[in-house]
């Protein structure tokens, strides 16, 4: 079974693990001048992007998604119920069937789903999907500053109340931004939880771990995060011209780590 079938509590996941208000506002501003009849696409089932495209008046909306059960679950999270074209399949294969078709592609933290050795192929496929001057708007967790120290995070969260906001921040910092990434330069949630449950002594932080596992990020997931951005940047957005980069807001646990990239097809 696809591990995404176990992601049953998406309504408890908060930004920056999903699009924030500021991120959506920035995207809305960038796409406001596009003709509404052009083809636009979302990588994955992100409900905020699907609602945004509908609210902006686009009529030809395509969703590239591997897991239809997860797509249906995310549809239940949406505000609107509009027609969409679903392209089912692994991105490394399905993207190749629609060359030169789209004026806009939206992506939120998709890079971690792509093994490092497949990144160049993946972003080349994105480029081929876009028409000339087409836009790719993509939030990326870049890891171009040092990873956080686990013992420091234990001290930090030992002083914090356990609530939905702090659990989400713990998830971001401990699983996706800490020195745990140095183990194998990827997020392995099963391995990480096992390591933490053996190492952590604070009862409060153990509660954070349990809440994180049950509510935000289950065991059994792998994401390719951990390599430094200066090692990955050369394979990012092959064939696209960078236009603008937005930093995360300073209240985000991904501040100075996640960036919203705007790129255009040359």
């Amino acid at each position: 079974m696809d591990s995404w079938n176990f992601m049953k509590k998406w309504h408890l996941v908060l930004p920056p693990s999903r699009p924030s208000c500021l991120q959506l506002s920035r995207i809305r501003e960038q796409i406001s001048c596009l003709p509404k009849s052009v083809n636009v696409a979302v990588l994955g089932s992100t409900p905020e992007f699907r609602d945004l495209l509908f609210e902006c008046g686009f009529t030809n909306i395509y969703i590239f998604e591997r897991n239809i059960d997860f797509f249906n679950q995310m549809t239940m999270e949406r505000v609107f119920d509009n027609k969409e074209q679903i392209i089912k399949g692994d991105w490394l294969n399905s993207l190749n069937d629609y060359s030169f078709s789209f004026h806009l592609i939206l992506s939120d933290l998709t890079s971690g789903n792509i093994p490092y050795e497949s990144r160049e192929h993946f972003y080349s496929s994105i480029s081929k999907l876009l028409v000339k001057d087409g836009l790719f708007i993509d939030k990326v967790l870049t890891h171009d500053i040092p990873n956080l120290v686990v013992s420091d995070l234990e001290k930090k969260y030992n002083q914090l109340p356990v609530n939905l906001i702090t659990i989400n921040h713990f998830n971001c910092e401990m699983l996706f931004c800490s020195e745990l990434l140095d183990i194998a330069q990827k997020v392995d949630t099963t391995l990480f939880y096992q390591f933490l449950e053996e190492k952590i002594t604070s009862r409060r932080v153990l509660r954070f771990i349990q809440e994180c596992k049950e509510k935000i990020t289950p065991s059994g997931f792998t994401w390719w995060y951990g390599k430094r951005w200066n090692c990955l940047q050369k394979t990012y957005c092959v064939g696209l011209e960078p236009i603008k980069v937005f930093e995360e807001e300073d209240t985000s646990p991904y501040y100075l780590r996640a960036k919203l990239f705007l790129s255009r097809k040359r």
Side-chain angles (χ1 to χ4, degrees):
M1 179 182 290
D2 191 322
S3 58
W4 284 91
N5 288 94
F6 297 102
M7 191 71 80
K8 297 294 187 182
K9 298 181 179 179
W10 193 254
H11 61 288
L12 300 179
V13 178
L14 301 178
S17 300
R18 56 193 296 176
S20 68
C21 295
L22 179 59
Q23 179 183 345
L24 293 169
S25 176
R26 286 167 167 169
I27 293 172
R28 186 188 296 270
E29 180 179 358
Q30 296 298 320
I31 68 178
S32 61
C33 294
L34 288 177
K36 306 311 176 188
S37 60
V38 300
N39 293 337
V40 296
V42 179
L43 293 183
S45 298
T46 310
E48 294 90 342
F49 286 170
R50 294 158 64 192
D51 279 339
L52 175 65
L53 291 175
F54 175 74
E55 288 180 295
C56 288
F58 293 100
T59 55
N60 295 310
I61 301 170
Y62 290 75
I63 312 299
F64 287 87
E65 176 59 72
R66 179 184 66 185
N67 188 317
I68 298 303
D69 289 338
F70 187 71
F71 168 82
N72 291 333
Q73 181 185 339
M74 292 300 96
T75 298
M76 298 296 292
E77 299 285 332
R78 291 195 55 199
V79 175
F80 300 103
D81 180 17
N82 57 286
K83 181 180 178 181
E84 298 170 311
Q85 303 293 327
I86 314 303
I87 310 300
K88 182 180 178 181
D90 186 288
W91 293 331
L92 295 176
N93 298 317
S94 62
L95 295 181
N96 295 324
D97 295 331
Y98 290 84
S99 296
F100 306 106
S101 297
F102 295 94
H103 285 68
L104 170 68
I105 300 172
L106 298 180
S107 162
D108 188 67
L109 298 175
T110 60
S111 66
N113 295 286
I114 308 299
Y116 299 123
E117 65 271 16
S118 300
R119 295 279 177 91
E120 186 168 5
H121 169 70
F122 174 67
Y123 290 113
S124 293
S125 297
I126 297 290
S127 178
K128 292 176 183 177
L129 273 176
L130 292 167
V131 300
K132 187 177 184 298
D133 293 326
L135 292 175
F136 180 49
I137 304 180
D138 180 32
K139 187 170 78 183
V140 179
L141 187 54
T142 60
H143 292 302
D144 56 359
I145 60 176
N147 293 332
L148 300 169
V149 177
V150 169
S151 60
D152 291 343
L153 291 174
E154 181 178 11
K155 292 175 184 176
K156 173 181 177 178
Y157 284 93
N158 192 45
Q159 302 298 317
L160 296 179
V162 180
N163 58 47
L164 191 56
I165 293 175
T166 57
I167 294 166
N168 271 272
H169 283 206
F170 178 87
N171 173 79
C172 292
E173 293 192 315
M174 187 66 85
L175 298 186
F176 292 89
C177 296
S178 81
E179 60 188 352
L180 294 177
L181 297 173
D182 298 331
I183 296 173
Q185 294 188 314
K186 64 181 179 180
V187 174
D188 179 334
T189 60
T190 302
L191 176 64
F192 285 8
Y193 285 133
Q194 180 181 352
F195 176 88
L196 291 170
E197 288 166 348
E198 292 175 356
K199 178 180 176 62
I200 299 297
T201 58
S202 162
R203 182 170 178 176
R204 180 176 294 273
V205 178
L206 286 170
R207 177 65 182 272
F208 270 107
I209 295 166
Q210 188 63 32
E211 292 291 313
C212 185
K213 184 193 301 186
E214 292 181 357
K215 291 183 170 64
I216 311 301
T217 304
S219 295
F221 277 82
T222 299
W223 283 280
W224 283 267
Y225 290 119
K227 285 192 175 183
R228 313 312 298 175
W229 181 239
N230 59 9
C231 297
L232 298 172
Q233 193 170 10
K234 62 183 178 182
T235 60
Y236 180 69
C237 285
V238 178
L240 300 181
E241 176 187 6
I243 302 173
K244 190 176 296 187
V245 180
F246 292 106
E247 296 286 352
E248 279 282 291
E249 48 263 66
D250 59 10
T251 55
S252 168
Y254 285 165
Y255 178 58
L256 299 179
R257 299 177 187 275
K259 304 179 190 300
L260 184 67
F261 291 102
L262 278 69
S263 305
R264 176 182 287 129
K265 177 71 171 288
R266 296 179 182 133

